[in-house]
Amino acid sequence: MSSDKVVKLLLKNCEREIRQKVEDIKHIIHHGNVPTGKKREKEEAWKIVEAISILLPLTPRYPVPSMQGETRMCQEVADFLNPVNFNGKEIRIAGLYGMSGLGKSTLAKSFCNFSLENFSGKVCFLQFGGCNALDRQKHALQCLTQFPMDQLKSITCEDDAQYNFNTFVKGQRSLLVLDNITEDSIDEVRHYLGAEYGENTCILLIARRVDVLKNLNIDSQSCMHVPRLEKEEAIAILLERMYVKIPELGAEQRGYALKCANRCSFKENKDSAPTFHPLALKALGRHLFSKHGTDLSKWVAEIDGFTNRAADGLDGMFVVLEKAFDDMDPRYRRIVVFLATHMPQNKSSDNVVKWVTTNCNEELCYIKEAVKDLYENAFIEEIEPEFRIHYFIEEFVQIKQYKHDEDFDTNF
Ligand SMILES: Nc1ncnc2c1ncn2[C@@H]1O[C@H](COP(=O)(O)OP(=O)(O)OP(=O)(O)O)[C@@H](O)[C@H]1O
Ligand SMILES: [Mg+2]
């Protein structure tokens, strides 16, 4: 069948709205009757982009490692985004909070991917605390505006970037997710909030503590706790390496798995329901799998051998991490401690790898492999585009140091 016939067949069978969009594109491309004048040209070009984005499934912009409860959690966030009147327009704003390692960034990136079609590709995830403000601004320009990409390199100062962002994002319906907001980043966040986005723009603001969000005048009704994992999802994270279908687990196996998963749950406050900690589940699951394979009875035996010290609460999560950490290759431990105590800000991942290589006196290829393994075990937060150690691990290392553990030589 000729391609023309295929197109005709497709058009016959697709929605009227899409058919109309295809006709628009054909008309603009074939007849070349783009009205002159920069503004009109831009508008027409934008129509094409919008039309194409409806026709083509967009590839996820932010890679997320396999995530449990993804659709449920993304839908919860979408439903929660409250309409507010902002700069005379209706936009939707929500705050998302929860302690370190509970899955905020994972959910935020996944939510961006989930919303790509809804926003015709105009979605952007920015993380504070890592790369510098200028890199963030450039990423925002790239994702949310039609700023000419060939001119991006010529922007070298933050004021320039901000001016261009404000100009180009004006009236543009967008989804902006600002992650890892702390007191230090409030001013920068305010700049983003000050832009004149288009009607029905959505902005998701993420911090570990709800009071940071309140400093941005987000009232508590507009703030949600990061959705909690359900029991089945927690078990699935724990057993990820076993590649088993959770509903097919036998009763005994299931009992073992649940006992191990419960070791990674804690109460955030006295009256709250237990919350499963995904980072702890991932670290524990990988640790037990590498040590005992698929024999879950051995997993439970090891869990039972954990000290009962602070079995509940946050310290309980640290005990889990400690087990995974203590059984690690000492060279890996050294890298973790080194990153947790000396990690510089604003270094690109490649630079950090070289920097660790020099300071830990290891081969470059060894460090690259180690970093990948540590990422798999949830000790490193992400590798691309930036390399960083997880904040929860930083805290864990600090606590270990505080206890003057002999193993903790940080004088490199
Ligand atoms: N729903 C989930 N399914 C599977 N794994 C998850 C899920 N949520 C989080 N994780 C894993 O847990 C770890 C911690 O998640 P994440 O980095 O998103 O936490 P966070 O809340 O952003 O922490 P921080 O406040 O320190 O930035 C990651 O390794 C991530 O892959
Ligand atoms: Mg995070």
Side-chain angles (χ1 to χ4, degrees), residues 65-68 73 99-106 208 229 237 278-279 282 378 381 390-391:
S66 83
M67 179 183 166
Q68 292 298 319
M73 292 187 192
M99 61 164 277
S100 178
L102 275 194
K104 300 179 295 300
S105 304
T106 306
R208 292 191 189 102
L229 287 167
I237 297 177
L279 189 148
K282 207 164 156 177
E381 186 175 354
H390 213 289
Y391 179 77

Side-chain angles (χ1 to χ4, degrees), residues 38 54 77 148 196:
K38 264 206 159 159
I54 290 177
V77 174
E196 291 179 50

Side-chain angles (χ1 to χ4, degrees), residues 325-354:
F325 180 85
D326 289 348
D327 273 356
M328 241 180 223
D329 181 325
R331 285 160 84 191
Y332 275 27
R333 287 212 297 261
R334 227 166 99 89
I335 297 169
V336 171
V337 175
F338 184 61
L339 286 171
T341 46
H342 299 286
M343 181 79 173
Q345 293 268 315
N346 304 338
K347 267 195 165 139
S348 71
S349 56
D350 235 25
N351 283 338
V352 176
V353 170
K354 282 189 195 128

Side-chain angles (χ1 to χ4, degrees), residues 184-286:
D184 295 341
S185 39
I186 293 261
D187 287 342
E188 200 183 327
V189 171
R190 287 214 174 96
H191 285 314
Y192 285 102
L193 291 178
E196 291 179 50
Y197 301 96
E199 200 90 22
N200 283 321
T201 280
C202 289
I203 302 181
L204 185 63
L205 303 161
I206 306 175
R208 292 191 189 102
R209 293 193 337 264
V210 70
D211 49 299
V212 175
L213 299 171
K214 286 189 189 149
N215 281 342
L216 286 162
N217 297 333
I218 310 294
D219 61 54
S220 46
Q221 279 113 310
S222 301
C223 291
M224 72 183 283
H225 186 280
V226 58
R228 291 175 172 86
L229 287 167
E230 287 171 4
K231 214 184 275 176
E232 296 297 300
E233 294 162 353
I235 292 178
I237 297 177
L238 185 85
L239 302 186
E240 199 186 354
R241 278 298 144 98
M242 281 176 55
Y243 305 108
V244 285
K245 292 203 174 95
I246 308 302
E248 288 170 14
L249 275 182
E252 192 180 38
Q253 297 279 90
R254 217 192 121 73
Y256 288 149
L258 187 58
K259 190 163 181 193
C260 295
N262 280 338
R263 196 62 187 73
C264 300
S265 81
F266 69 106
K267 284 190 171 189
E268 287 180 79
N269 55 56
K270 221 170 62 218
D271 306 316
S272 66
T275 301
F276 287 104
H277 194 284
L279 189 148
L281 284 163
K282 207 164 156 177
L284 182 67
R286 285 166 197 222

Side-chain angles (χ1 to χ4, degrees), residues 361-386:
N361 206 14
E362 296 278 8
E363 296 282 325
L364 187 68
C365 56
Y366 178 81
I367 296 292
K368 281 189 175 166
E369 270 316 296
V371 163
K372 268 194 220 145
D373 285 350
L374 290 168
Y375 173 71
E376 286 292 306
N377 295 348
F379 274 73
I380 279 175
E381 186 175 354
E382 63 186 313
I383 305 179
E384 296 290 346
E386 243 184 76

